[in-house]
């Protein structure tokens, strides 16, 4: 597992039904591109988050493919409409097979 | 036909002159998390001759860079603060102590500390920076290994200590026993170094607001340190920044933690007396 990986998500606690909210996510990850060499000239193997998804009550909100040029600690900010109360599930897929998940509940007023 | 040509050239000239003019700091206000008011502009302290108004480096950065500091969630430097919060609670060394064993909550015990450092230490008989004080704690109280001056743990810890004082005015003492160190720092500030024969003042006092190639020169204030640089994608210490500047004059630099840089840090910090503690800041 890549070291020091920590996912962070910021979602409002409540929204109006059908309203739009802003979601912010950040995962600390070194995003090693696979292009660099160490002091001895050996290639440092690629190790990045290669996919990020967000689902709301099982329905896909966003699905992102990440490439090696994306810098360290990838940050995503996007909008979502909230039709009903429920739960957002955020998933990050690591090159090494690890999957990091965060969930956030939201109520509707 | 001739008229059209003239008109076109007049328009071209107008478009050229209407481009972004970067003659000085902008007039934006910095409020972090909608609650912490940061003073980014203040009257210069009495000891400064060359400048009337002091500005945080934040005021010289592009809008996009500035925006990263408005919300802790978007400030990449806060990742370092979070790391340091974990270290704060972690026992290290032969005495079986963590930072929290003596200092309890960093939020209350470290509030205001960043604002007065570097500071004269009576027992040691020297001016100490935060890094020196942290390493003194680690070696004499915790029985732990020293941290490297600009190493990851050290910079993260200074970021944590800065973050709890954000909004408080920098107020380092320059008189009394600290005065000789301060004088030494001032001398270094105005001494030309390197093949390019540049002093700190040549850029940061005489030419702040102007462009140095692609960079918008600030006053070189250090109220925002440690600072997350987008260029290196990590937090950097003040001395790391000093080294970069001295190197750019094509000089041999002083080392991290050298007496010269400690003196310079005290002097440069005193030039920011009145600005808010802002670290961890975000710069390009």
């Amino acid at each position: 597992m890549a070291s020091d990986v920590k996912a962070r998500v910021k979602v409002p606690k409540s929204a109006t039904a059908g309203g739009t909210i802003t979601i912010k996510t950040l995962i600390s990850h070194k995003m090693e591109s696979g292009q660099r060499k160490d002091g001895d000239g050996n290639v440092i193997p690629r190790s990045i988050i290669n996919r990020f998804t967000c689902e709301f009550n099982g329905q896909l909100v966003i699905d992102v493919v990440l490439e090696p040029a994306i810098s360290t600690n990838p940050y995503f900010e996007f909008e979502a409409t909230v039709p009903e109360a429920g739960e957002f599930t955020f998933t990050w897929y690591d090159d090494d097979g690890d999957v990091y998940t965060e969930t956030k509940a939201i109520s509707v007023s | 036909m001739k008229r059209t040509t003239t008109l076109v050239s007049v328009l071209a000239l107008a478009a050229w002159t209407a481009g972004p003019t970067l003659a000085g700091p902008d007039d934006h206000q910095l409020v972090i998390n909608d609650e912490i008011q940061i003073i980014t502009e203040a009257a210069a302290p009495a000891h400064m001759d060359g400048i009337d108004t002091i500005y945080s480096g934040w005021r010289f950065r592009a809008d996009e860079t500035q925006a990263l500091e408005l919300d802790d969630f978007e400030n990449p430097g806060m990742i370092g603060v979070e790391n340091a919060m974990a270290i704060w609670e972690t026992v290290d060394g032969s005495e079986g102590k963590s930072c929290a064993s003596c200092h309890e909550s960093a939020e209350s015990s470290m509030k205001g500390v960043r604002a007065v450092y570097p500071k004269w230490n009576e027992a040691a008989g020297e001016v100490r920076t935060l890094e020196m004080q942290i390493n003194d704690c680690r070696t004499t109280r915790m029985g732990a290994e020293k941290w490297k001056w600009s190493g990851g743990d050290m910079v993260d810890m200074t970021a944590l200590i800065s973050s709890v004082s954000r909004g408080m005015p920098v107020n380092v003492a320059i008189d009394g026993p600290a005065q000789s160190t301060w004088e030494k720092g001032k001398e270094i500030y105005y001494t030309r170094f390197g093949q390019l024969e540049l002093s700190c003042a040549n850029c940061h006092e005489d030419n702040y607001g102007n462009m140095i190639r692609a960079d918008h020169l600030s006053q070189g204030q250090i109220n925002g340190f440690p600072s997350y640089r987008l260029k290196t994608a990590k937090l950097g210490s003040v001395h790391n920044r000093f080294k970069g500047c001295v190197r750019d004059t094509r000089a041999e630099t002083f080392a991290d933690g050298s007496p010269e840089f400690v003196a310079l840090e005290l002097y440069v910090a005193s030039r920011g007396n009145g600005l808010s503690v802002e670290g961890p800041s975000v710069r390009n």
Side-chain angles (χ1 to χ4, degrees):
Chain A
M1 176 178 151
S3 58
D4 297 334
V5 177
K6 190 175 170 200
R8 301 162 178 83
V9 177
K10 196 170 180 180
V11 179
K13 288 195 170 58
S14 66
T16 53
T20 305
I21 57 160
T22 300
I23 294 172
K24 297 175 177 182
T25 76
L26 184 145
I27 187 161
S28 49
H29 194 283
K30 60 184 181 335
M31 296 291 280
E32 187 61 55
S33 69
Q35 311 265 1
R36 300 198 305 160
K37 289 176 180 170
D38 64 16
D40 301 325
N42 304 312
V43 171
I44 306 171
R46 181 183 124 157
S47 170
I48 67 167
I49 301 280
N50 56 45
R51 184 180 172 214
F52 166 69
T53 62
C54 170
E55 290 179 356
F56 181 69
N57 291 347
Q59 190 192 355
L60 196 62
V61 177
I62 192 170
D63 189 345
V64 185
V65 174
L66 286 83
E67 301 288 353
I70 293 174
S71 58
T72 185
N73 306 332
Y75 170 86
F76 290 107
E77 179 177 329
F78 51 95
E79 293 184 336
T81 50
V82 185
E84 67 213 9
E87 196 172 66
F88 282 100
T89 306
F90 304 89
T91 316
W92 292 261
Y93 298 85
D94 199 312
D95 269 351
D96 60 17
D98 280 329
V99 175
Y100 316 104
T101 311
E102 275 282 318
T103 55
K104 288 280 174 188
I106 188 165
S107 62
V108 161
S109 54
Chain B
M1 185 62 205
K2 194 169 179 226
R3 257 185 88 169
T4 322
T5 320
T6 317
L7 187 62
V8 168
S9 59
V10 167
L11 280 176
L13 186 67
W16 179 70
T17 49
T21 47
L22 291 167
D26 63 22
D27 56 3
H28 296 171
Q29 302 277 321
L30 176 53
V31 182
I32 297 173
N33 300 334
D34 291 327
E35 58 173 336
I36 310 172
Q37 294 274 350
I38 301 290
I39 301 161
T40 57
E41 175 175 350
H47 68 78
M48 283 169 71
D49 301 325
I51 288 179
D52 297 328
T53 310
I54 52 174
Y55 300 98
S56 163
W58 184 84
R59 295 277 293 274
F60 295 86
R61 303 279 58 90
D63 293 355
E64 298 86 347
T65 311
Q66 289 184 337
L68 288 169
E69 231 180 279
L70 300 179
D71 180 356
D72 279 354
F73 194 88
E74 291 178 44
N75 182 341
M78 293 309 288
I79 294 171
V81 172
E82 278 185 36
N83 289 344
M85 281 177 178
I87 298 170
W88 185 267
E89 307 283 342
T90 308
V91 172
D92 195 5
S94 58
E95 303 298 310
K97 286 183 186 170
S98 68
C99 305
S101 309
C102 296
H103 297 293
E104 295 171 8
S105 149
E107 267 184 27
S108 49
S109 65
M110 291 297 129
K111 196 171 170 63
V113 171
R114 171 76 274 179
V116 295
Y117 267 80
K119 186 182 170 186
W120 176 257
N121 184 303
E122 194 60 53
E126 62 182 4
V127 170
R128 279 193 173 167
T129 66
L130 269 185
E131 287 88 350
M132 294 158 87
Q133 199 59 49
I134 290 168
N135 266 343
D136 184 66
C137 257
R138 286 185 60 78
T139 52
T140 61
R141 294 206 217 175
M142 294 167 69
E145 291 283 314
K146 271 188 183 183
W147 277 332
K148 258 182 79 180
W149 193 281
S150 293
D153 288 343
M154 179 64 93
V155 178
D156 287 352
M157 187 55 74
T158 58
L160 168 61
I161 293 170
S162 295
S163 70
V164 299
S165 298
R166 284 182 298 176
M168 300 175 72
V170 175
N171 186 21
V172 295
I174 62 171
D175 49 3
Q179 197 187 350
S180 64
T181 307
W182 181 81
E183 297 282 0
K184 183 177 161 190
K186 184 175 181 181
E187 193 188 324
I188 293 172
Y189 191 89
Y190 286 101
T191 302
R192 290 172 181 265
F193 286 96
Q195 291 177 325
L196 297 184
E197 296 188 347
L198 289 169
S199 73
C200 307
N202 291 142
C203 287
H204 296 294
E205 184 168 296
D206 303 341
N207 277 299
Y208 71 88
N210 292 334
M211 299 299 285
I212 181 166
R213 299 190 70 177
D215 193 31
H216 193 201
L217 273 173
S218 73
Q219 290 183 346
Q221 295 287 353
I222 58 172
N223 60 309
F225 275 83
S227 187
Y228 185 92
R229 285 199 80 185
L230 300 172
K231 173 181 159 179
T232 54
K234 63 180 181 185
L235 279 168
S237 69
V238 176
H239 289 200
N240 194 49
R241 178 64 267 191
F242 285 167
K243 274 202 296 194
C245 264
V246 178
R247 182 205 57 214
D248 290 349
T249 71
R250 299 190 194 155
E252 289 281 342
T253 80
F254 302 108
D256 284 338
S258 60
E260 289 85 359
F261 273 170
V262 171
L264 185 61
E265 181 176 344
L266 174 63
Y267 176 68
V268 177
S270 79
R271 292 172 67 93
N273 274 351
L275 296 174
S276 293
V277 174
E278 194 188 308
S281 62
V282 184
R283 303 286 186 260
N284 52 330

